[in-house]
Amino acid sequence: MDWPGRSAAGQGFCSCHVCGLVSRLEQDDLAARCPRCNTRLHFRRPDSLHRCWAFLIAAYILYIPANLMIMMETGTLVSYRKDTILSGVIHLWHNGNPGIAVIVFVASILVPLFKLVVLTLLLVSVRRGSTWGIKHRILLYRIVELVGRWSMLDIFVVTLLAALVQIQSFATVRAGTGAIAFGAVVVLTMFAAMEFDPRLMWDPLRKEREL
Amino acid sequence: MYRNLPDSINRSLALTVAASILYLIANSFPILGINLQGNGNAVTLLQAVHDLWSQDMPLVSSLTFVTAILVPALELCLMLYLLLPLYRGHLLPGTSQVMRLLQTIKPWGMVEVFMLGILVSLVKLVQDFNIIPGVALWSFGGLTLLLAALASSFNPRDVWTHLDLKQRREGL
């Protein structure tokens, strides 16, 4: 594939990530600030990859208890259930609304898994200086940023149900420890996606051309 | 690529004011009530957060508090701080800090996700209980729509253009 022109960073131009103003910058000027809004300027997010890895690894570790531990306990006069995320979805599929079950499945199971896998893929490909499928990888990053927040769905459902369903001996709902781990996974993967600087993906192209 | 929309400041201000009113209503009234053989319960969002806190779930409760109550409120306040003076053609001090803060907190405001959370809870409850939809249920629905409209009508470049003009004037 042919990429005409030189990159802005290669010519010493740097855009402010708050107000978008483009300024000329010395290559290793770490104290530079945007003349319009006074935000610190840098060509690439400092320590982007290290920080992203740190959040991502923490998210991987918590992903296990988030899926294995109890998310919600439901007790009524006739029944008592302990549900993990997955068993909650299955229960909803059989005893409620399959459409809603699909929504919860996507938000609570597919989206977190997708984020972990895609961010790992992006980090590894940037590390290896890969130029393969760059347009698809950019698209994947955009999707990760866009859909990440929807995983919070289950946290809100647990909050509402645990507060609302408190009718003495008739019916009670309690949040389980799985909810803590799950909330942490959502927050950590959001931080990881924010730390990742997608511009790093384009840098190998520049080096390739300069050779 | 996009152009500046006509009237973006007026529209954004109107939407912000409307959203602020709905926000107050949505947080003052119960979202849902349930009833089972004469025993019932109804909660506002703040009560729900408080109840979960007292059930030894401070982390989950704080997460809901920040994403569904605090950040949306802060966003609306900051928008008013920007847009009210801008409507009269000037800017208050600290505009660039406010813009930066808005950008930082934006991903953490999750009213639309919370709205879907209400609907999922509704479906889960409907088999076992009589549901009494609260005023806040409708208000959250309206708030979701208004915030989406606000996000598409507000153009940060309007603010930056004004800030440029102001700095140029002061520079002369």
Side-chain angles (χ1 to χ4, degrees):
Chain A
M1 218 182 295
D2 191 34
W3 301 90
R6 293 167 62 201
S7 75
Q11 297 173 66
F13 289 112
C14 176
S15 82
C16 168
H17 59 256
V18 172
C19 74
L21 187 71
V22 176
S23 328
R24 209 177 248 287
L25 197 61
E26 291 303 317
Q27 202 53 248
D28 41 5
D29 184 1
L30 292 173
R33 284 178 178 275
C34 173
R36 178 155 70 180
C37 69
N38 204 32
T39 307
R40 185 156 290 173
L41 291 175
H42 23 67
F43 289 102
R44 297 290 179 263
R45 219 170 219 293
D47 291 332
S48 164
L49 296 183
H50 291 127
R51 290 186 195 183
C52 187
W53 268 121
F55 284 120
L56 196 62
I57 290 167
Y60 267 116
I61 294 169
L62 283 165
Y63 186 74
I64 300 163
N67 280 279
L68 294 181
M69 289 172 91
I70 302 300
M71 188 83 174
M72 199 162 72
E73 293 172 42
T74 321
T76 62
L77 280 179
V78 288
S79 70
Y80 181 75
R81 296 183 54 83
K82 286 182 169 185
D83 277 312
T84 61
I85 295 175
L86 190 60
S87 76
V89 171
I90 295 169
H91 184 70
L92 193 60
W93 175 274
H94 289 301
N95 301 283
N97 187 322
I100 295 288
V102 169
I103 292 177
V104 177
F105 178 76
V106 170
S108 309
I109 295 177
L110 279 192
V111 167
L113 198 61
F114 177 79
K115 283 178 81 171
L116 290 173
V117 171
V118 167
L119 283 172
T120 309
L121 181 88
L122 294 180
L123 282 170
V124 170
S125 70
V126 166
R127 187 55 182 269
R128 297 179 54 187
S130 165
T131 55
W132 168 83
I134 188 157
K135 284 191 169 173
H136 297 290
R137 282 188 284 136
I138 288 283
L139 185 67
L140 283 177
Y141 178 72
R142 288 210 194 119
I143 297 173
V144 162
E145 270 204 314
L146 201 71
V147 299
R149 51 205 278 104
W150 290 93
S151 304
M152 205 67 105
L153 181 66
D154 246 7
I155 296 292
F156 293 143
V157 173
V158 166
T159 305
L160 279 172
L161 293 186
L164 197 57
V165 186
Q166 294 296 338
I167 310 181
Q168 278 89 46
S169 50
F170 288 107
T172 50
V173 168
R174 281 187 66 83
T177 30
I180 302 173
F182 185 78
V185 170
V186 178
V187 172
L188 287 168
T189 49
M190 278 180 71
F191 274 125
M194 286 173 198
E195 285 299 339
F196 184 77
D197 189 337
R199 293 175 297 186
L200 289 168
M201 284 191 261
W202 298 99
D203 288 345
L205 286 173
R206 195 168 108 214
K207 288 186 192 116
E208 215 167 60
R209 231 182 1 255
E210 279 162 6
L211 281 175
Chain B
M1 294 294 168
Y2 41 84
R3 290 165 178 279
N4 290 354
L5 283 169
D7 250 5
S8 122
I9 293 170
N10 288 348
R11 269 185 220 189
S12 306
L13 180 61
L15 288 168
T16 309
V17 172
S20 307
I21 295 168
L22 268 187
Y23 175 89
L24 291 177
I25 298 173
N27 279 284
S28 324
F29 292 94
I31 302 169
L32 289 175
I34 54 169
N35 200 315
L36 184 70
Q37 295 162 358
N39 297 292
N41 193 13
V43 286
T44 65
L45 176 52
L46 206 57
Q47 274 167 343
V49 167
H50 175 260
D51 287 0
L52 200 65
W53 182 283
S54 43
Q55 289 173 33
D56 290 329
M57 282 284 153
L59 288 174
V60 179
S61 150
S62 318
L63 200 53
T64 305
F65 177 74
V66 169
T67 52
I69 302 180
L70 186 66
V71 170
L74 194 57
E75 255 184 297
L76 289 172
C77 291
L78 294 175
M79 288 298 280
L80 284 176
Y81 184 86
L82 286 177
L83 291 170
L84 274 176
L86 206 55
Y87 176 67
R88 301 196 173 279
H90 50 85
L91 286 170
L92 291 177
T95 295
S96 53
Q97 283 91 325
V98 168
M99 289 294 282
R100 201 180 316 164
L101 189 57
L102 265 176
Q103 202 184 48
T104 313
I105 63 173
K106 197 178 179 109
W108 301 103
M110 304 192 184
V111 170
E112 77 281 21
V113 184
F114 182 71
M115 184 64 217
L116 187 62
I118 298 178
L119 295 180
V120 171
S121 309
L122 202 70
V123 171
K124 287 194 169 188
L125 289 167
V126 82
Q127 316 155 13
D128 301 324
F129 303 96
N130 289 319
I131 311 264
I132 307 131
V135 175
L137 175 66
W138 312 112
S139 322
F140 267 112
L143 186 60
T144 307
L145 295 178
L146 285 179
L147 288 179
L150 178 60
S152 69
S153 88
F154 176 64
N155 186 348
R157 289 205 299 181
D158 286 339
V159 177
W160 296 121
T161 311
H162 270 84
L163 195 66
D164 268 347
L165 290 173
K166 190 184 169 198
Q167 282 173 349
R168 211 164 297 163
R169 241 175 313 168
E170 282 164 2
L172 282 174

